[in-house]
Amino acid sequence: MSEATSAAFFGAVLRAIACTRNDGPDGEAYDRGVIEPARRIRDLEKEVGERALTQEETERVLGWLETILDTKRVPDDARDHHRARIAEAGGLTVVTRGRA
């Protein structure tokens, strides 16, 4: 993944997080399932900086994203929409479902 593609990938992931409604629990479960994984994604984005993401880092980010979408109880059609946008932005051929 090129550095331009990495920036677009992180942008699409963070946009998906921000644009999904939370129909999940509040409190500790929200902190653990949304706030913490989102913080990890932002921390990794800062760590990566200008360099391209590795395959392992990409999979880790997608796993954290799935944890967030699970916690927010995002419907499958919305998940598919976000996965397609992320794949396009990141130059990925397939975005698979998984957990970190």
Side-chain angles (χ1 to χ4, degrees):
M1 188 179 297
S2 72
E3 58 191 60
T5 306
S6 293
F9 171 78
F10 276 115
V13 168
L14 293 171
R15 195 168 21 264
I17 294 167
C19 293
T20 52
R21 178 182 167 145
N22 177 35
D23 286 326
D26 291 324
E28 188 178 322
Y30 184 83
D31 289 344
R32 191 175 53 251
V34 176
I35 301 298
E36 183 62 24
R39 183 193 57 77
R40 289 180 179 168
I41 292 168
R42 288 189 304 275
D43 288 349
L44 182 60
E45 179 183 27
K46 289 176 190 172
E47 179 185 321
V48 167
E50 299 292 320
R51 75 169 170 80
L53 283 167
T54 65
Q55 179 67 30
E56 179 186 333
E57 289 167 334
T58 302
E59 290 173 4
R60 196 175 332 145
V61 169
L62 294 174
W64 288 328
L65 175 63
E66 287 300 327
T67 297
I68 292 167
L69 298 178
D70 287 346
T71 302
K72 287 183 161 189
R73 297 182 182 153
V74 175
D76 289 339
D77 59 334
R79 288 174 189 244
D80 292 343
H81 169 78
H82 290 299
R83 286 186 194 115
R85 297 276 183 189
I86 292 165
E88 181 180 339
L92 307 172
T93 54
V94 176
V95 177
T96 58
R97 180 175 163 79
R99 281 188 179 67

